[in-house]
Amino acid sequence: AQDTVQPQSAPRPQLMVVFIDNENISRSNRNLIIARLEAMVRERLHPPVRAMVVTNDMGLRRVGEVSSNPDDVLASLQSLVGKTTGATKVSGHTRFAEARIRELSKNPTYVNKDQALATARMNSAQTDEALWRSVDTLKTLIRTIGGLPGRKDVVYVSDGIPIVPGKEALLLVDELFRSYEGIQIVSEVDRTGLFLQVIAYARAADVTIHTVDASGLKPTHASSAEGRWAGSAEIEIMRQEKYQAPLFFMAEQTGGAVVVNTNELEKGLEHIGDVTSHYYSLGFPLQTPLSDRTHKIEISLVGDPGYELHYRQAFRERTVATQTAERTVSGLLLPVRHNPLMITAQAGEAGSAGKNAWII
């Protein structure tokens, strides 16, 4: 028998996006995670892997270019050091609201209860506004990179993001004024549906989201810098769970890794690097669909219960029209090096076609 040489396929392209959510991270924690990212970038970033840095600054902003050079990506990260973040303002509103509610509770009259509830509502609205901006920015990012070929990983870095904006202040009113009005408002501001949208976007675009809580270990009992009030352990635990729930949710549903409740961020980032660098691609035949449709995925290992599986729990099958539209958007906004038909374009002379109009 004659040996046959199997042709080797080209390495699968891969894009890693480091998303620093400036609306939901303190400046000190952001600077700390930027320093910790260096080891992962230098170890994992080499062709065909490319990376880029984006931030949420009242919308999506790309920092630097897409590159396979670790020095370029690290320079983009370092350019963020020292810049202010929106999280300082949001956390300041929350501290003020909780301090005001506690002050009003010293004389628990009906008037003071109404004022405390109004304060809690205002804090919820302020936090909710920042939440919507972050979610919209994340969805925009996913749509932007969705048309790129190969594997796409987003490393979402924040101090957590609230799934119920202002929940602590609302329940604090109930706790201090012995009422049930705050809990009724909580159900109105539950934003689980927003994160379901993010997951749906990620599944449709074949994007994996890894989440990092840059704030590390949090105390379960806290007080303000001025020492004028102390938060109960229950409130602080609730705050932590509320901010971390979306991180678990987005990572688990898209097949990503989550790093929370640790001050050893390097180990968590190393785990993310392992997940993005060592993986299996499972495939199965499909007919060309007439419309986009979602398939549920369940994967299990027989006889190896010690392994931890990370996989996308649903797959969005897309029509040719949908895929073409996604690639067009990605090609317009990002430097896509994918031209299988070797198509080239040449621009001719530009001429005037009227006021403020040109034709080429």
Side-chain angles (χ1 to χ4, degrees), residues 105-254:
S105 70
K106 294 178 180 179
N107 183 21
T109 63
Y110 285 108
V111 173
N112 283 355
K113 184 191 71 173
D114 289 343
Q115 291 183 5
L117 200 59
T119 301
R121 279 184 177 274
M122 182 178 297
N123 174 65
S124 178
Q126 292 166 335
T127 309
D128 195 32
E129 183 180 353
L131 166 64
W132 277 83
R133 285 197 298 267
S134 292
V135 170
D136 285 344
T137 303
L138 186 53
K139 288 160 60 177
T140 300
L141 170 64
I142 292 171
R143 291 192 63 185
T144 300
I145 66 176
L148 297 179
R151 182 182 173 104
K152 300 172 284 285
D153 294 274
V154 173
V155 182
Y156 173 77
V157 182
S158 68
D159 288 347
I161 183 169
I163 198 166
V164 184
K167 179 178 179 180
E168 313 95 292
L170 289 165
L171 295 187
L172 185 62
V173 173
D174 286 355
E175 176 185 333
L176 298 179
F177 287 88
R178 301 293 188 269
S179 70
Y180 297 95
E181 296 178 50
I183 190 65
Q184 296 175 4
I185 301 173
V186 165
S187 61
E188 300 173 8
V189 295
D190 188 308
R191 297 297 181 240
T192 302
L194 287 181
F195 295 100
L196 286 172
Q197 292 178 18
V198 172
I199 292 167
Y201 271 58
R203 288 172 174 174
D206 291 335
V207 171
T208 302
I209 303 176
H210 312 274
T211 55
V212 179
D213 183 353
S215 61
L217 288 171
K218 299 180 180 70
T220 57
H221 191 79
S223 60
S224 70
E226 298 83 359
R228 290 181 296 183
W229 59 271
S232 67
E234 291 80 7
I235 292 292
E236 295 308 316
I237 291 173
M238 184 190 310
R239 192 194 314 274
Q240 178 175 328
E241 292 176 346
K242 183 191 76 170
Y243 274 81
Q244 289 183 350
L247 303 185
F248 283 101
F249 194 33
M250 291 189 292
E252 290 173 354
Q253 292 295 317
T254 62

Side-chain angles (χ1 to χ4, degrees), residues 19-87:
F19 180 12
I20 308 293
D21 188 355
N22 277 335
E23 288 280 354
N24 289 284
I25 191 171
S26 69
R27 183 166 61 177
S28 59
N29 288 337
R30 182 195 57 196
N31 295 346
L32 177 64
I33 197 67
I34 286 174
R36 300 293 190 269
L37 279 165
E38 180 174 0
M40 186 184 79
V41 170
R42 292 201 178 279
E43 181 179 355
R44 307 292 178 177
L45 187 56
H46 49 78
V49 181
R50 295 188 296 160
M52 70 175 180
V53 179
V54 300
T55 63
N56 172 24
D57 291 303
M58 304 294 288
L60 182 64
R61 185 172 73 89
R62 192 176 76 189
V63 183
E65 298 299 323
V66 182
S67 176
S68 292
N69 186 338
D71 291 331
D72 293 341
V73 176
L74 291 173
S76 298
L77 288 168
Q78 284 296 323
S79 69
L80 301 175
V81 174
K83 294 184 178 180
T84 59
T85 68

Side-chain angles (χ1 to χ4, degrees), residues 282-333:
L282 305 179
F284 49 91
L286 292 170
Q287 295 180 348
T288 302
L290 298 177
S291 60
D292 296 348
R293 56 187 178 184
T294 301
H295 300 272
K296 184 179 180 181
I297 298 175
E298 292 184 4
I299 301 175
S300 62
L301 295 178
V302 178
D304 291 305
Y307 287 99
E308 181 181 355
L309 295 179
H310 297 274
Y311 63 92
R312 195 172 300 124
Q313 298 182 13
F315 165 70
R316 184 70 172 174
E317 186 181 6
R318 293 162 290 175
T319 63
V320 173
T322 299
Q323 295 180 52
T324 302
E326 291 173 346
R327 290 172 183 171
T328 301
V329 171
S330 297
L332 289 171
L333 301 176

